[in-house]
Amino acid sequence: MAWMNGTTVRVFRCIPAVLLAALMLFPCRAGAHSEEASQKHRAGDPFPQEEGPAVGVDERLGAKIPLDTTFRDETGKTVRLGDLITGPTIILPVYYSCTNICNYLQGGLARVLPAIKYRPATDYRVISLSFDESETPPLAARYKRIYLTSMNVPFPEDGWRFLTGDAPNIQRLTAAAGYRFQRRGRDFIHPVTSLVVARDGTIVRYLYGTTFLAKDVTLALLEAREGRSGASIRKVMEFCFSFDPAGKTYVFNLMRVSATVIILCTGGFLAFLLLHGNKRK
C-alpha cells in the first residue's frame, strides 16, 4: 500500500508537466518548404496595364468548372471537357508559345509525376489548357512530345492531354476557376497556378508556383478521389496533414501528432501503474 501511494503520488506530480508540454506543442506545426514563383509573366511587365480585372486568382474551392465546354486536343479532335475528367484531374492553365514561366510550370510537374504512385490515365489525368485562343493543335502536340519525353519514363499518351480552344469556352472555364489573366501584345500576364478537380468538376485544391512536391500532388489527388479512400483514412489524413493557405502547400502536423502520442503514452502508463498496483495490493 505504501509503494502504491508513493508511486501514484510521483506519477501524478509528473502529469501537469507532461500536459503542459503537450499543450505547448499543439499550436505549432512543421512547415514544408515550397517555392512560389512570381504571379506575373515577366515578359508582360513592360506593356501598359489594360482595362479589365486585375491578374490573379480568386480561389473557389467547392465550386464546379463547366464540364460541357469543348476544346480541341493535340490531334485536332473536338473533345468535351467532361469526357476527359473521369477522375482526379490536374489542370494547368498555360499558353504554349510562352518562353518563360509556362515552360517551368509544365516542366516542374513533369519532373514530379514519375514519383506519384497513382496510375496516370487510370487513377488521374493531367490537362494542359491554353488560354490563348490563337494557338493550334499542332503546337499543342509539339509541346506534349517535349514534356512526355522529358520524363525519361513511360507515360501514357492519354495521361496528359494538351488542349486548345476558342475564346468563349476558355473564358467560361477560367472564370469558373477564378483565374484572371490579361493579354500583353503577343504575350500574357497570368497567375502561376494549377488546380486539382474531382471527377464531377469540383475544385478541391489550387497549387501555386513552378516547383511541385510529390506529397502535395499526391495529397491533392487523394482529396479529389471523392471518398474512394474511405472515411477513416480521410480522417487520419486530415489529422496528420493540413493545407497551409499562406505557404500554399500541405504541411505535416508533426507537433500535433507528437503531442497526441505523448498523451496516449502517458495515459497508458498511468493505467499500467494503477492496474499493476491493484494486483500487488
Side-chain angles (χ1 to χ4, degrees):
M1 186 66 178
W3 175 89
M4 174 64 181
N5 290 339
T7 303
T8 304
V9 169
R10 286 193 298 271
V11 169
F12 277 93
R13 284 178 178 174
C14 295
I15 291 178
V18 173
L19 292 180
L20 179 60
L23 291 175
M24 290 176 65
L25 290 175
F26 264 104
C28 301
R29 187 169 57 184
H33 173 70
S34 177
E35 176 186 354
E36 287 193 28
S38 169
Q39 293 294 308
K40 293 185 178 181
H41 192 291
R42 296 301 182 186
D45 290 346
F47 291 88
Q49 180 74 20
E50 67 181 17
E51 293 183 1
V55 173
V57 176
D58 299 321
E59 290 197 1
R60 296 179 180 174
L61 296 173
K64 294 185 178 182
I65 60 175
L67 298 180
D68 60 337
T69 50
T70 56
F71 299 90
R72 291 168 296 169
D73 66 9
E74 58 276 357
T75 68
K77 178 183 177 181
T78 299
V79 293
R80 180 177 172 272
L81 191 61
D83 293 334
L84 296 181
I85 301 179
T86 57
T89 303
I90 306 170
I91 300 178
L92 306 177
V94 295
Y95 70 106
Y96 303 124
S97 58
C98 174
T99 59
N100 194 347
I101 207 70
C102 294
N103 289 331
Y104 297 133
L105 175 63
Q106 295 173 102
L109 184 60
R111 282 190 293 273
V112 79
L113 286 179
I116 304 301
K117 302 303 181 184
Y118 298 136
R119 296 170 297 173
T122 301
D123 298 329
Y124 74 95
R125 178 174 281 117
V126 180
I127 295 177
S128 286
L129 174 67
S130 173
F131 47 72
D132 184 353
E133 68 276 10
S134 67
E135 294 190 326
T136 61
L139 184 61
R142 173 187 172 189
Y143 280 92
K144 177 172 184 173
R145 290 192 298 270
I146 290 175
Y147 294 116
L148 292 189
T149 302
S150 70
M151 292 188 203
N152 295 319
V153 295
F155 197 89
E157 292 279 338
D158 196 39
W160 192 341
R161 307 296 294 272
F162 287 69
L163 306 183
T164 56
D166 56 27
N169 282 290
I170 292 171
Q171 290 170 3
R172 281 191 63 199
L173 177 59
T174 55
Y179 185 93
R180 294 178 277 106
F181 62 96
Q182 293 180 1
R183 180 183 285 277
R184 287 291 185 271
R186 290 175 296 179
D187 294 313
F188 291 83
I189 56 173
H190 59 90
V192 187
T193 309
S194 52
L195 54 148
V196 182
V197 301
R199 65 179 303 169
D200 63 351
T202 301
I203 302 172
V204 299
R205 185 60 56 208
Y206 290 81
L207 301 175
Y208 293 83
T210 61
T211 301
F212 294 86
L213 300 178
K215 71 176 181 63
D216 285 1
V217 177
T218 300
L219 289 172
L221 292 174
L222 176 63
E223 193 174 30
R225 290 176 63 183
E226 300 181 295
R228 285 167 52 193
S229 59
S232 60
I233 295 179
R234 178 175 294 272
K235 292 298 183 182
V236 172
M237 296 302 295
E238 289 176 351
F239 181 79
C240 296
F241 294 90
S242 60
F243 191 81
D244 179 12
K248 304 299 183 183
T249 182
Y250 285 95
V251 293
F252 178 64
N253 298 317
L254 175 63
M255 299 308 178
R256 177 192 294 176
V257 174
S258 300
T260 302
V261 172
I262 291 174
I263 292 175
L264 291 176
C265 290
T266 302
F269 181 60
L270 288 175
F272 170 77
L273 288 179
L274 293 175
L275 291 174
H276 185 68
N278 288 335
K279 288 180 180 180
R280 290 193 58 173
K281 178 181 177 181

